[in-house]
Amino acid sequence: DFPSGDEGYHTYDELRAALRAAVSAHPGITSLSSIGDTYEGREIPVIRISDNAATDEDEPEVLFTCNLHAREHLTTEMCLHIVDRFTAGYGSDEKITGFVDSREILVVPSLNPDGAEYDISGGWYRGWRKNRQPNAGGSVGTDLNRNFSYKWACCQGASTSPSAETYRGPSAASAPEVRALQAYVDSRVVGGVQQIRAHIDFHAFSEMVLWPFGHTHDTATEGMTQAEYDHLKSIGQEMATSNGYTPGQTSDMYITDGDINDWMWGTHKVLTYCFEMYPTSGGSDGFYPPDEQIVPQTTRNDGAVDILLANAT
Ligand SMILES: CC(C)C[C@H](NS(N)(=O)=O)C(=O)O
Ligand SMILES: [Ca+2]
Ligand SMILES: [Ca+2]
Ligand SMILES: [Ca+2]
Ligand SMILES: [Zn+2]
């Protein structure tokens, strides 16, 4: 459980209860399923929000993924806020209703529930980042944001040392959580066309809006034209203006290979972003802002989410 004072954060069981509650309150516009299991056997839930939710309609799909890194619990709350906003607002808020009627919103509130549960086990914060998959040699964990299959291990953007925080894993998609997400997105190719048009992967912290590629500082490069880069950049800058985050290319932070955004663009040409949430720097809040920050820091991204939805055509 979360330490006392931080009860506002959702444990894995509370997360699943929240998703079930959203479905029972809004059955016509929600459908709940699992994209697969984690290493320790936890289901990874995905909720789909759209009119005629039981039917896969020919509408642009937009994916939001959270909690890829275990200790980044604020991101789980970000995804749950998106679920709440687009279900509770349906039928009353015109803009919300318009998006839900014309798109399919896919939300994965936690890609790393094993890590998240471990991070808070014992009622205190362990600073855990990776998944909970054992490595040869006795250490535990793969950095899920270095294990995706697009140009995995290409560019010294991760560690080869199993005990390192950015350990890339023994092979591409060796982590079941990464395999589950890749398989899910692969399955959204219908009639040869990827139905997911846009994506945000939420992280913490630094308050940045980042677009691919991470494996290179180049803008035009294999798998991305200058025009495509400029399109990603212009929408990224617009979103950063709305939430006050700093815009940039993923590699501006540091070179990463095997990250989720490189895979989403490199493999499926999805308009994909990494949002690093509050705070800007370490200090007392760092990875563990008090739960009083949940509402302000999640609602802060409402405008950016709407910009992404509007650009998903
Ligand atoms: C997407 C990259 C550039 C940033 C991310 N930072 S984090 N959330 O791990 O501190 C990461 O290292 O995976
Ligand atoms: Ca509190
Ligand atoms: Ca629909
Ligand atoms: Ca569809
Ligand atoms: Zn992260």
Side-chain angles (χ1 to χ4, degrees):
D1 269 1
F2 283 89
S4 65
D6 279 347
E7 294 83 358
Y9 287 96
H10 289 72
T11 65
Y12 176 64
D13 288 342
E14 289 166 345
L15 177 164
R16 292 202 300 170
L19 295 177
R20 287 194 298 271
V23 170
S24 62
H26 309 278
I29 59 166
T30 55
S31 71
L32 185 57
S33 55
S34 168
I35 67 170
D37 289 352
T38 64
Y39 176 79
E40 291 179 334
R42 291 182 176 85
E43 276 190 353
I44 303 170
V46 58
I47 186 168
R48 197 154 65 97
I49 306 166
S50 186
D51 62 340
N52 312 308
T55 310
D56 178 7
E57 295 184 303
D58 184 16
E59 300 166 319
E61 300 181 15
V62 181
L63 175 67
F64 298 99
T65 53
C66 293
N67 196 221
L68 189 62
H69 287 142
R71 61 192 168 193
E72 299 167 18
H73 302 288
L74 184 61
T75 69
T76 307
E77 304 308 317
M78 182 67 226
C79 270
L80 290 173
H81 168 65
I82 290 169
V83 173
D84 183 50
R85 180 163 174 254
F86 285 96
T87 52
Y90 188 76
S92 52
D93 181 304
E94 196 180 327
K95 184 173 54 173
I96 297 271
T97 306
F99 281 136
V100 173
D101 283 347
S102 61
R103 288 165 175 72
E104 292 173 355
I105 300 168
L106 316 171
V107 187
V108 180
S110 177
L111 273 168
N112 184 8
D114 292 357
E117 285 295 292
Y118 175 73
D119 185 52
I120 62 172
S121 59
W124 50 285
Y125 294 125
R126 295 168 184 265
W128 191 256
R129 169 185 171 94
K130 303 192 283 183
N131 76 349
R132 292 295 297 164
Q133 187 173 10
N135 300 313
S139 70
V140 176
T142 292
D143 181 355
L144 298 177
N145 210 24
R146 301 295 186 281
N147 188 243
F148 283 80
S149 301
Y150 185 77
K151 291 195 180 291
W152 176 81
C154 72
C155 308
Q156 284 77 48
S159 175
T160 57
S161 165
S163 58
E165 287 282 58
T166 58
Y167 178 51
R168 67 191 189 202
S171 57
S174 53
E177 299 86 358
V178 168
R179 278 201 301 280
L181 196 275
Q182 291 189 177
Y184 176 65
V185 174
D186 288 344
S187 78
R188 301 311 309 133
V189 177
V190 177
V193 179
Q194 174 53 254
Q195 302 298 300
I196 299 171
R197 316 300 303 149
H199 164 244
I200 298 175
D201 187 44
F202 288 96
H203 284 260
F205 52 86
S206 296
E207 296 191 6
M208 300 181 85
V209 174
L210 302 165
W211 51 85
F213 282 122
H215 70 271
T216 175
H217 291 297
D218 294 348
T219 54
T221 183
E222 176 199 340
M224 188 177 300
T225 65
Q226 189 61 49
E228 289 169 332
Y229 178 85
D230 292 346
H231 184 57
L232 277 160
K233 177 175 178 178
S234 70
I235 295 168
Q237 288 180 316
E238 192 185 344
M239 293 191 288
T241 302
S242 78
N243 62 11
Y245 290 4
T246 302
Q249 185 173 344
T250 308
S251 53
D252 290 353
M253 261 184 119
Y254 31 78
I255 293 286
T256 56
D257 49 33
D259 75 67
I260 190 171
N261 303 109
D262 280 21
W263 186 82
M264 290 292 285
W265 175 267
T267 312
H268 292 287
K269 292 278 188 273
V270 174
L271 215 52
T272 183
Y273 297 86
C274 167
F275 276 37
E276 292 281 9
M277 295 179 71
Y278 171 90
T280 50
S281 61
S284 64
D285 285 6
F287 287 113
Y288 300 106
D291 63 4
E292 288 76 15
Q293 284 292 348
I294 292 173
V295 169
Q297 296 307 329
T298 55
T299 55
R300 177 173 178 183
N301 284 311
D302 288 350
V305 165
D306 292 352
I307 289 163
L308 191 82
L309 285 165
N311 281 282
T313 55

